[in-house]
Amino acid sequence: MGRNLPVAVLGSSGGDVGFGVRAIKAGAVDHLEKPYAPDALLSAIAAALAEIRADVDRQRSRQGALARIASLSPLASARYARAEPTHG
């Protein structure tokens, strides 16, 4: 299973605002123009770490749910499979 790591783009866009927009749309957590403040870099790193933690938490929740489904009796499992998904 591959892992997608968050990216913060650092550099000079030469005044091209669209560059930062494209970087964010492509999945970057932030785009910092040079020269960037150290606090801005730390903030971008914190955002990237939070994104990684959230992905890990979602994956653990999903794995837990799949394990609970797998532990159901065959009758309960069949009922669950026929149940309509609910969106809350």
Side-chain angles (χ1 to χ4, degrees), residues 2-81:
R3 211 178 258 270
N4 294 323
L5 294 177
V7 173
V9 176
L10 309 173
S12 229
S13 65
D16 179 11
V17 176
F19 178 79
V21 172
R22 288 189 301 277
I24 299 296
K25 284 185 176 183
V29 293
D30 207 343
H31 170 254
L32 303 176
E33 271 294 313
K34 284 170 68 175
Y36 50 85
D39 287 346
L41 179 58
L42 290 175
S43 178
I45 292 169
L49 290 174
E51 190 173 304
I52 290 170
R53 283 188 208 103
D55 286 345
V56 168
D57 289 345
R58 279 189 295 274
Q59 184 63 26
R60 284 186 183 146
S61 291
R62 183 178 185 280
Q63 288 172 346
L66 291 174
R68 288 189 298 278
I69 291 168
S71 71
L72 294 173
S73 70
L75 179 61
S77 184
R79 285 182 182 157
Y80 179 80

